[in-house]
Amino acid sequence: MKRNSVLAVLFALAVSVLTFSCGSLGALGGLLQTPSLSMEGISINSLDTEGITFKCNYAISNPYGVSLSIAGLNADISYDNSKVTNVSTSNGIQAKAQGTTKNSFNFKVPYTSIINLARSTAGKKTLPFAVDGTVTLDVSNIPALNYLGNTLDLPVAADFDVPVFKPKMSVSNVAVKMPSLSELKDQLVNGGLGILKATQIATTLLSGNRITTDILDGIDLNIDFTFDVNVANEGNADWEFNIKDCSLKTAGGALAKVSPSGKATGITSKSATVPMTVSLNTIQSGAFIVQLLNKSGSNPVFMLDTGLSFPDTKYAKNIPLSYSYEIPLSSVKKQ
């Protein structure tokens, strides 16, 4: 009986050791190690009309057999040792046990800061910026690290270039291109109207007087709505500005396709003007055409999607930049 008791105790000890080995071997193996952080690069995450949002990528290696929480992050974004902005967050992720976990944080550098800092740099195309801060880990559940307290700060540090760039976009020369009286009469007659009716409608459309929607009922006529998009870079960075998609949002929510009038959809010069044309048909867009001719109603919104590249930097090409502009109908001219 005594022999059986001894065997039972030995068996229990063996199971205990086995359980410890499976569940805690990682912690034991990493007993003399601490978690570490490695930088994995900084990229441009997005562009908007206010500034450049960068993405800072890093990875945390955790040698222990339990996951660790990222308790917070705090970092200064600086130029020439002067802080430009700061990023701080308390919402973290879990650094997985005995593995490497990738994470990132975003921060925005305003265009106004970039241009102001570049004024004393004698025409530089990029500015050297730096990220300097810490990622704080909660290590309270790791007995081997009790001597550190409940948290462990891992340094975050990297250098990166900021293109000296500030986009400026505007819309001008908004107009409705009307045919001449004779051209308009010919189109209406070819569309099936009698000469007298065609002359009456053509004269009314070109008169400049207020018209009603029903004047275009049953009429198949094409009219061009045109305007210029003015694009400029107020900084010194070389750039490639590529027009991807243009559209016009009307009061009804419909999108009319907008096309550059010329073949060129890319801009590499410091500034350029791109003529735009919206081809409108009276059957599909009669109500909107009447609004244009009357210069009153709900203002349409021009929407532009582009892709920007900075050849002098390592950043990805064709970074999206969107622009929208509400076109006042009161500014529409007849041509």
Side-chain angles (χ1 to χ4, degrees):
M1 186 72 178
K2 183 176 181 180
R3 183 173 178 274
N4 290 339
S5 298
V6 171
L7 289 175
V9 170
L10 291 175
F11 179 76
L13 287 173
V15 171
S16 175
V17 170
L18 181 61
T19 302
F20 173 80
S21 299
C22 294
S24 306
L25 185 58
L28 184 62
L31 190 60
L32 301 179
Q33 303 178 48
T34 58
S36 61
L37 184 149
S38 59
M39 301 300 297
E40 302 214 328
I42 296 179
S43 59
I44 293 180
N45 186 64
S46 64
L47 301 170
D48 59 27
T49 56
E50 301 298 324
I52 306 175
T53 298
F54 290 88
K55 183 178 183 180
C56 182
N57 300 287
Y58 64 91
I60 293 178
S61 295
N62 175 16
Y64 291 95
V66 294
S67 62
L68 300 174
S69 296
I70 298 179
L73 175 143
N74 189 282
D76 288 338
I77 316 302
S78 61
Y79 168 73
D80 196 21
N81 295 320
S82 296
K83 185 171 72 171
V84 175
T85 187
N86 173 269
V87 57
S88 180
T89 177
S90 58
N91 297 323
I93 63 170
Q94 294 288 319
K96 63 184 178 182
Q98 292 183 296
T100 299
T101 301
K102 294 185 177 183
N103 197 21
S104 64
F105 60 91
N106 294 346
F107 58 89
K108 178 180 283 189
V109 179
Y111 295 128
T112 51
S113 297
I114 297 171
I115 298 302
N116 288 338
L117 291 170
R119 285 175 179 166
S120 60
T121 60
K124 282 190 176 181
K125 297 180 180 180
T126 61
L127 298 178
F129 270 58
V131 174
D132 186 20
T134 57
V135 169
T136 301
L137 291 182
D138 181 349
V139 294
S140 57
N141 60 341
I142 306 295
L145 298 181
N146 282 346
Y147 68 97
L148 296 174
N150 292 327
T151 61
L152 171 65
D153 288 336
L154 303 178
V156 175
D159 297 325
F160 65 103
D161 289 330
V162 173
V164 180
F165 166 72
K166 181 182 179 182
K168 183 178 180 180
M169 291 175 280
S170 62
V171 172
S172 61
N173 299 325
V174 183
V176 179
K177 285 197 169 185
M178 297 295 293
S180 66
L181 180 60
S182 60
E183 290 172 338
L184 191 52
K185 283 195 299 184
D186 289 343
Q187 287 190 53
L188 293 172
V189 169
N190 291 336
L193 293 183
I195 185 64
L196 292 178
K197 183 69 172 176
T199 302
Q200 178 188 2
I201 291 176
T203 302
T204 302
L205 290 175
L206 296 175
S207 67
N209 297 326
R210 189 171 184 84
I211 59 176
T212 57
T213 305
D214 59 0
I215 194 174
L216 297 178
D217 287 349
I219 293 177
D220 188 357
L221 182 67
N222 292 320
I223 294 177
D224 285 344
F225 177 44
T226 65
F227 51 90
D228 292 336
V229 175
N230 310 297
V231 180
N233 174 13
E234 296 186 7
N236 296 315
D238 290 332
W239 71 334
E240 295 175 1
F241 181 100
N242 294 301
I243 296 173
K244 298 297 184 183
D245 188 62
C246 312
S247 59
L248 194 71
K249 185 177 181 181
T250 63
L255 293 178
K257 193 69 176 177
V258 182
S259 301
S261 300
K263 292 183 179 179
T265 59
I267 297 169
T268 56
S269 58
K270 192 170 181 66
S271 62
T273 296
V274 183
M276 295 286 177
T277 300
V278 187
S279 184
L280 301 171
N281 181 268
T282 52
I283 293 178
Q284 287 85 27
S285 306
F288 179 58
I289 292 172
V290 169
Q291 289 183 11
L292 289 176
L293 296 177
N294 287 335
K295 300 175 67 170
S296 66
S298 299
N299 294 330
V301 177
F302 170 63
M303 305 175 74
L304 173 66
D305 290 324
T306 69
L308 270 70
S309 304
F310 301 100
D312 292 333
T313 70
K314 63 181 180 180
Y315 299 118
K317 295 182 177 181
N318 290 317
I319 303 165
L321 173 64
S322 297
Y323 169 73
S324 64
Y325 176 75
E326 183 176 318
I327 301 175
L329 289 178
S330 59
S331 68
V332 177
K333 299 177 181 179
K334 285 185 182 179
Q335 293 182 347

